Amino acid sequence: MDKKKFITVVTAGFALFAMFFGAGNLVIPPYIGLKIGALSGVAFAGFFVSDILLSFLAVVMVASIGLTFTDLGKRFPPLFVNALVFIIIVTLGPLICVPRTGSTTYEVAVQPFFPQIDKITFGVFYFGITLLLSISKAKIVDIIGKILTPFLILSLTILIVVGTLNAPKELADNGYTFREAFAFGFSKGYLTLDVLAGVIFSGLIISSIVREGYQREADKKQVTILSGIISAGCLVFIYGGLLYLGATSNLSPSEEGVSYIDILKHIAYNVLGSNGGIVISVAVAFACLTSAIAIVSAMGEIFENISKGRIPYKWGVWICSIVSFVLSIQSVEEIIHYAGYLLDFSYPITIALTLFVLFFGKQVKSNTPYIVGVTLTAVLSGLFIIGDLQNIEWIIKFRTLLPLSSYKIEWFLPAFLSFVITTVIIRIQSFAKN
C-alpha cells in the first residue's frame, strides 16, 4: 500500500469511528458492564454483533451499490428508497442522536463546572459550532479524521488504560445466564444508532475517498472496507474498555436512580480523581461534536439528493441544527426513553435491507422480494410498538411466540422467509413463461 492510500485509509477510518462514536456510545457500554458483571464478555459479544458488525456490513452494503444510500434508487422505486432514507435520517438526526449529543455534552462537560450556564445558552453555542463546521461538506472528513478524532481517542485511551490497571473490584456474578447476557448486550446495541449511522455516514466517507482519486470500483471498495476495519477496531477497543470499567466499578448494579450519565461520571472520577472530570469532559465534547457534525452534514446532503436540489445542502444543515437544538433541552434520560420506540421501528427496516442487499444483491435482481421483506419488517415492527404502547395482550403474546424475540429480532425469520418465498414464486413464474 502506497503512502497516499495509507493516509486516506487511516483518515477515513478515524473519521468513520468518530462519526459512529457519539453520546450513546459513551454511556451505554459502562451501563452494560455494570449490569452484567462477570459475563460482560458474553454481553460484549452480543453488543458487537448488533452494533459493530452490522454497522460495518451497512458501510460495505452502501459501497457495493454506489456512493450513497440513495443510490438504492437505481434498483428500487425512488418513492420506496426516499421514504426509507427519510425515516432513517430524521430518526438518526434531529429526533434522537443530534439532540442527545448536545444534552450529553451539557450534563457531563458543562453543568458540573459551569452551573451558571443554562442549557439554552449552551445549546445556542454548541449547535452554532456544529452548524459552522458542517456548512462546508467537502471538508467534513478531514476536520473529523485529522483534527477532532485524535483528541477523542487519546482522552478515552487514558481513561481506559488507567481504569483497567486500577480496577476497584473484581468481576462479580450478577445472576445472568449466558443467553440473558448475550441478549442484553445485543438489545442495547440498538440504542447506539450505529447501524442507521452506517448507511448514512458511509456516503460521506465514500465520497471523500472518491475525491482523493480512488474512482475505480475495486479501489473504492478496498479503501472503504479497510477504513471500516480501522473504525471497527477502534470501536472494539473503546467499547470493550468502557464496558470493563463499568463491570469493575464499585457502583451497585441494583442501585435505583443511577442514570447512564451518572455511571460514566462516577467511573471517570473514581479512575482519575479530580482530573477525571476534565478527561471525560474532553472525551464527551469531542465524541458528541464529531457525531453531530457528521449527522447534520449527512442530513443536508440527503435532503439535497432526495429533493433533487430543491432543498439546498445548507438548508438541510440549518433545519437539522435548529430542530436538534429545541429537542436537546430535554435530559439524556428523556431522549433515550422516547428513542427506544423510534428505533424499534427504523432499526429492523435498516438491518433487513442491509442484509438482503449485501447477501442477495447479485443473485436476486427483482425488486419485489426486497420490497416484500422490508415491508413485512416495517409492518411487524409497527405492530409490536403499538402492542407495547397500548399494552395489547394478543400482540405481546404473538411477539413472544416468534423465534429470536429475546434478542429483539423477532421480525428476522418472517422477513427472511417472505424474501425467499417471494423470490421462489417469481422464478417459478419466470420459468413457466419461458
Side-chain angles (χ1 to χ4, degrees):
M1 183 186 300
D2 59 48
K3 183 178 179 181
K4 180 188 175 184
K5 181 179 285 189
F6 176 78
I7 293 174
T8 301
V9 166
V10 172
T11 301
F14 277 4
L16 188 59
F17 158 75
M19 290 175 182
F20 280 136
F21 199 85
N25 310 69
L26 263 171
V27 300
I28 292 170
Y31 176 82
I32 295 173
L34 176 65
K35 291 295 182 182
I36 302 301
L39 291 182
S40 290
V42 179
F44 180 72
F47 189 76
F48 173 86
V49 172
S50 65
D51 183 84
I52 301 173
L53 178 60
L54 286 176
S55 303
F56 175 74
L57 292 179
V59 174
V60 175
M61 184 272 289
V62 174
S64 70
I65 62 172
L67 296 178
T68 68
F69 188 54
T70 55
D71 284 333
L72 277 173
K74 298 172 184 176
R75 292 195 52 182
F76 304 115
L79 181 61
F80 174 76
V81 174
N82 289 343
L84 286 177
V85 172
F86 182 81
I87 290 170
I88 292 169
I89 192 59
V90 170
T91 301
L92 181 67
L95 291 185
I96 300 177
C97 198
V98 181
R100 190 171 69 180
T101 66
S103 188
T104 301
T105 304
Y106 176 76
E107 292 181 24
V108 175
V110 176
Q111 190 178 37
F113 302 101
F114 307 101
Q116 69 275 18
I117 299 177
D118 62 83
K119 206 167 192 179
I120 294 177
T121 302
F122 169 75
V124 171
F125 174 75
Y126 177 85
F127 288 103
I129 292 177
T130 300
L131 179 65
L132 181 65
L133 295 179
S134 304
I135 213 73
S136 176
K137 60 182 177 180
K139 298 179 181 179
I140 294 300
V141 172
D142 281 343
I143 289 172
I144 295 176
K146 293 180 179 179
I147 300 173
L148 299 179
T149 306
F151 287 101
L152 170 60
I153 293 178
L154 178 62
S155 58
L156 289 172
T157 300
I158 291 172
L159 178 66
I160 289 169
V161 171
V162 176
T164 300
L165 294 175
N166 299 281
K169 71 172 186 179
E170 298 292 324
L171 293 172
D173 184 358
N174 291 343
Y176 285 85
T177 65
F178 275 79
R179 181 177 177 178
E180 290 170 341
F182 185 90
F184 187 86
F186 188 96
S187 65
K188 290 303 176 184
Y190 276 28
L191 292 176
T192 65
L193 288 82
D194 282 350
V195 175
L196 303 185
V199 298
I200 300 302
F201 293 160
S202 51
L204 293 173
I205 296 298
I206 295 167
S207 296
S208 172
I209 289 169
V210 171
R211 283 196 296 270
E212 290 294 324
Y214 301 98
Q215 298 178 355
R216 289 177 58 247
E217 190 67 21
D219 290 337
K220 182 194 73 174
K221 286 185 179 180
Q222 181 193 40
V223 175
T224 301
I225 290 173
L226 289 175
S227 301
I229 291 172
I230 288 178
S231 172
C234 292
L235 289 171
V236 167
F237 170 70
I238 299 298
Y239 283 154
L242 290 173
L243 192 143
Y244 180 78
L245 294 184
T248 56
S249 73
N250 50 18
L251 281 171
S252 169
S254 59
E255 189 171 344
E256 295 293 333
V258 177
S259 68
Y260 288 83
I261 293 293
D262 291 335
I263 296 170
L264 183 65
K265 289 195 289 189
H266 174 86
I267 291 171
Y269 282 101
N270 191 65
V271 169
L272 299 174
S274 58
N275 294 324
I278 298 173
V279 172
I280 203 62
S281 296
V282 171
V284 166
F286 282 108
C288 292
L289 188 60
T290 51
S291 286
I293 293 168
I295 296 169
V296 170
S297 301
M299 183 165 175
E301 187 168 340
I302 285 172
F303 272 30
E304 188 175 53
N305 291 339
I306 291 177
S307 68
K308 297 181 179 178
R310 287 188 291 271
I311 302 178
Y313 171 81
K314 292 182 179 180
W315 288 19
V317 168
W318 274 97
I319 292 169
C320 188
S321 299
I322 292 171
V323 174
S324 299
F325 161 65
V326 173
L327 292 179
S328 71
I329 296 171
Q330 301 174 94
S331 70
V332 175
E333 293 294 315
E334 289 173 326
I335 294 172
I336 288 177
H337 176 71
Y338 77 71
Y341 294 109
L342 294 173
L343 294 177
D344 283 347
F345 182 72
S346 56
Y347 234 75
I349 295 172
T350 309
I351 294 173
L353 187 61
T354 295
L355 296 179
F356 290 157
V357 172
L358 192 60
F359 293 108
F360 302 110
K362 292 183 179 179
Q363 292 80 23
V364 181
K365 300 298 182 183
S366 172
N367 295 339
T368 307
Y370 300 93
I371 295 173
V372 170
V374 171
T375 301
L376 180 60
T377 302
V379 169
L380 288 175
S381 299
L383 180 67
F384 297 146
I385 291 171
I386 293 171
D388 288 342
L389 287 173
Q390 301 297 321
N391 197 27
I392 301 174
E393 187 175 345
W394 74 266
I395 295 178
I396 296 172
K397 185 174 181 180
F398 170 61
R399 183 179 190 175
T400 57
L401 291 174
L402 291 173
L404 305 176
S405 61
S406 62
Y407 301 98
K408 296 188 74 174
I409 52 172
E410 58 282 321
W411 51 267
F412 177 75
L413 285 181
F416 177 78
L417 289 174
S418 69
F419 181 94
V420 172
I421 292 170
T422 306
T423 301
V424 171
I425 292 172
I426 290 173
R427 290 191 174 177
I428 291 174
Q429 290 175 340
S430 177
F431 180 78
K433 288 178 182 179
N434 296 330

